[in-house]
Amino acid sequence: MVKKQNTEDKIVEAAKKVFIQKGMDGARMQQIADEAGINKALLHYYFRTKNKLFEKIFSLVFRDIFEVLEMAVMKELSFEQFLEQFITEYIALLKRKPYIPQFVIHEINRKPQRIVDQMKNTKFDKQQLFALIEQAAEDKRIRPIPPVHLITNILSLCLFPFVAKPIITGFALDGDKEKYKTYIDERPEQVITFVKQALFL
Amino acid sequence: MVKKQNTEDKIVEAAKKVFIQKGMDGARMQQIADEAGINKALLHYYFRTKNKLFEKIFSLVFRDIFEVLEMAVMKELSFEQFLEQFITEYIALLKRKPYIPQFVIHEINRKPQRIVDQMKNTKFDKQQLFALIEQAAEDKRIRPIPPVHLITNILSLCLFPFVAKPIITGFALDGDKEKYKTYIDERPEQVITFVKQALFL
DNA sequence: ATCTGTTTTAACTATTTGGTTAAATCAATT
DNA sequence: AATTGATTTAACCAAATAGTTAAAACAGAT
């Protein structure tokens, strides 16, 4: 046996890259093979069909998304702790895997039901989080706010900078990639401050 | 001559729908023809190539995006007025044309440079907006905040609910479409309050 | 040395799809 | 009635692409 694990990994990495950039429809098996440094025949030898390969990538990417989400909520933190920790860790995750949002949005369009189903299968407990927010409001630690709005607020503030990277860089930051890096580094603090100010009495 | 204008419009509407849902690669000329209630031959009779048709849709959608953006900034409003008016009108625009964000994000991935270039060609003056924010901070009317962060914050809060519609509906709102409608109706007020609280001293 | 699973090569098939064409039909205008 | 442009029908072409196949080469394990 030759170093096998390596080839499959190379394929997965290549497929991730191509699928994310081009989407399922735009992706070409040949390009994935090229990107992985192998040929089409071998690609099909590992993953029989384009669809099977895509499913693999999809589930991998999806696992990534909930990695932090689950962690943060399972820890039984106070709302205040949750806020800081979630924002910090979620943006950190997105820095490591900035392709996630684009990929998910792409799929939301293609097969909305699929992505919703996947979400329901996760350990993440939305009720718990809702309760945490409502409790904090009852205790007058934060001003009252519908949980759905607060959660979508936080998520949007974390996600948007990665989805809109080219626009932010090209348009607001004069195409300066260094400035974008700085901007992203500032984000956790900026978002935490923004949300805290918006919430705490 | 038969009612001509009508057919071209039908094609544009159909193409918009299909291109947005499937992206340039996923879209099929046959599906666009079906959706428009005509046949492929006639479709090519109006728009010679898929690419030409896509370009048409792209420029139409793009015009929509900056419609409100330009309007809001050109009016020489105070920062406070700008905030309320922009958020209200931008969310209203997105309610009318909820497909815009998905489409743009799709294109950001496919051809980032193109979308940035288009943005530069618009009348929208980023410096003016930056100055407005910095002035408000200098006057101590709001707490200091880097303009890029504030702008991306506002945009994300407005855009995200439309991009993530299926997830919000399916996951957070028990798949209840009425709840989503309510949620969206509440949005302008919620976002305005959120941002104001976050900013004003 | 032989065996086994990996990888390459290269040609091939089947299907999808964008785009074309030509002839016929239709509907309004003249 | 004749003209003109819009629309349909239906067949077709060419290119791209997913997927297959068979044979050979290769590399490590036994």
Side-chain angles (χ1 to χ4, degrees):
Chain A
M1 248 193 292
V2 200
K3 41 194 171 172
K4 183 196 163 275
Q5 181 60 16
N6 224 336
T7 299
E8 186 158 340
D9 284 354
K10 264 162 34 185
I11 293 177
V12 167
E13 280 314 304
K16 217 185 247 179
K17 186 171 166 187
V18 176
F19 276 133
I20 282 151
Q21 204 188 341
K22 310 263 181 166
M24 167 67 171
D25 298 311
R28 298 287 159 248
M29 292 300 267
Q30 186 59 60
Q31 194 188 344
I32 293 173
D34 292 346
E35 204 86 42
I38 59 168
N39 52 34
K40 218 177 43 162
L42 189 60
L43 182 57
H44 279 95
Y45 176 81
Y46 275 87
F47 298 87
R48 275 208 305 286
T49 70
K50 186 184 186 182
N51 223 45
K52 278 192 162 49
L53 178 55
F54 182 79
E55 290 299 326
K56 175 82 179 182
I57 304 301
F58 180 85
S59 66
L60 285 179
V61 170
F62 206 86
R63 201 177 306 161
D64 286 342
I65 306 172
F66 276 75
E67 177 189 306
V68 172
L69 248 181
E70 286 178 0
M71 237 177 46
V73 182
M74 306 246 287
K75 278 199 206 149
E76 303 258 358
L77 303 167
S78 74
F79 176 74
E80 288 76 2
Q81 291 169 320
F82 164 77
L83 206 66
E84 289 204 19
Q85 213 174 326
F86 175 78
I87 293 170
T88 309
E89 284 184 28
Y90 211 64
I91 293 179
L93 167 69
L94 291 169
K95 267 170 87 170
R96 288 199 308 280
K97 320 202 173 189
Y99 50 79
I100 291 180
Q102 261 95 336
F103 187 77
V104 173
I105 289 167
H106 213 282
E107 281 309 294
I108 284 178
N109 255 15
R110 243 174 43 100
K111 295 191 173 180
Q113 197 47 55
R114 170 114 146 300
I115 216 133
V116 171
D117 289 346
Q118 284 271 3
M119 288 212 152
K120 285 182 179 157
N121 281 343
T122 195
K123 273 167 273 171
F124 175 70
D125 181 7
K126 131 196 142 185
Q127 285 311 326
Q128 193 183 333
L129 184 53
F130 273 47
L132 197 65
I133 295 167
E134 276 158 357
Q135 190 56 53
E138 264 182 49
D139 299 349
K140 312 266 183 207
R141 300 207 310 277
I142 64 171
R143 68 176 182 79
I145 180 171
V148 201
H149 283 281
L150 178 52
I151 292 170
T152 48
N153 286 357
I154 295 172
L155 284 177
S156 43
L157 292 171
C158 292
L159 287 164
F160 185 78
F162 295 92
V163 177
K165 173 178 175 176
I167 292 181
I168 295 173
T169 312
F171 186 67
L173 302 174
D174 318 307
D176 185 334
K177 287 179 185 177
E178 276 306 307
K179 279 189 189 166
Y180 178 77
K181 211 180 154 303
T182 313
Y183 164 80
I184 289 293
D185 288 337
E186 295 165 352
R187 261 273 124 179
E189 196 198 318
Q190 287 288 340
V191 173
I192 290 172
T193 312
F194 198 81
V195 175
K196 275 187 172 175
Q197 287 271 351
L199 287 183
F200 294 134
L201 301 168
Chain B
M1 245 192 294
V2 201
K3 40 195 171 173
K4 183 195 162 274
Q5 180 63 17
N6 224 335
T7 300
E8 185 158 342
D9 284 354
K10 266 166 27 189
I11 293 177
V12 167
E13 280 314 305
K16 218 186 245 178
K17 186 171 166 188
V18 176
F19 276 134
I20 282 150
Q21 204 187 341
K22 310 264 180 166
M24 167 65 171
D25 297 311
R28 297 286 160 250
M29 292 300 267
Q30 187 58 59
Q31 193 188 344
I32 293 173
D34 293 346
E35 205 86 43
I38 58 167
N39 51 35
K40 218 176 46 163
L42 190 60
L43 181 56
H44 283 283
Y45 176 80
Y46 276 86
F47 298 87
R48 275 209 304 286
T49 70
K50 185 183 186 182
N51 222 46
K52 278 193 163 48
L53 179 54
F54 183 80
E55 290 298 326
K56 174 84 180 184
I57 304 300
F58 181 85
S59 67
L60 285 179
V61 171
F62 206 86
R63 202 177 307 160
D64 287 342
I65 306 173
F66 275 75
E67 178 189 306
V68 173
L69 249 179
E70 285 177 1
M71 239 177 46
V73 182
M74 306 244 289
K75 279 198 206 150
E76 302 259 0
L77 302 167
S78 73
F79 177 73
E80 289 77 2
Q81 291 170 319
F82 164 78
L83 206 64
E84 290 203 21
Q85 213 174 325
F86 175 78
I87 292 170
T88 309
E89 284 185 27
Y90 210 65
I91 292 179
L93 167 69
L94 291 170
K95 264 170 89 168
R96 288 198 309 280
K97 320 202 175 192
Y99 50 80
I100 292 179
Q102 262 95 335
F103 187 78
V104 173
I105 289 168
H106 213 282
E107 280 310 294
I108 284 178
N109 254 15
R110 244 175 40 101
K111 293 190 175 180
Q113 197 47 54
R114 171 116 146 299
I115 216 131
V116 171
D117 289 345
Q118 285 271 4
M119 290 212 151
K120 285 181 179 158
N121 281 344
T122 194
K123 272 167 274 171
F124 174 72
D125 181 7
K126 131 195 144 188
Q127 286 310 325
Q128 192 184 332
L129 183 54
F130 273 48
L132 198 64
I133 295 167
E134 276 158 355
Q135 191 57 53
E138 264 182 49
D139 298 350
K140 311 265 183 206
R141 301 207 309 279
I142 64 171
R143 68 175 181 81
I145 180 172
V148 203
H149 283 282
L150 178 53
I151 292 168
T152 48
N153 286 357
I154 294 172
L155 284 178
S156 43
L157 292 170
C158 292
L159 288 164
F160 184 77
F162 295 92
V163 177
K165 173 178 176 178
I167 291 182
I168 295 173
T169 311
F171 186 67
L173 302 175
D174 317 309
D176 185 335
K177 285 179 186 176
E178 275 307 307
K179 280 189 188 167
Y180 177 77
K181 212 181 153 304
T182 313
Y183 164 79
I184 289 292
D185 288 338
E186 296 165 352
R187 262 271 122 181
E189 196 199 318
Q190 286 289 339
V191 172
I192 289 172
T193 312
F194 198 83
V195 175
K196 275 187 172 176
Q197 286 273 349
L199 286 182
F200 294 134
L201 300 170

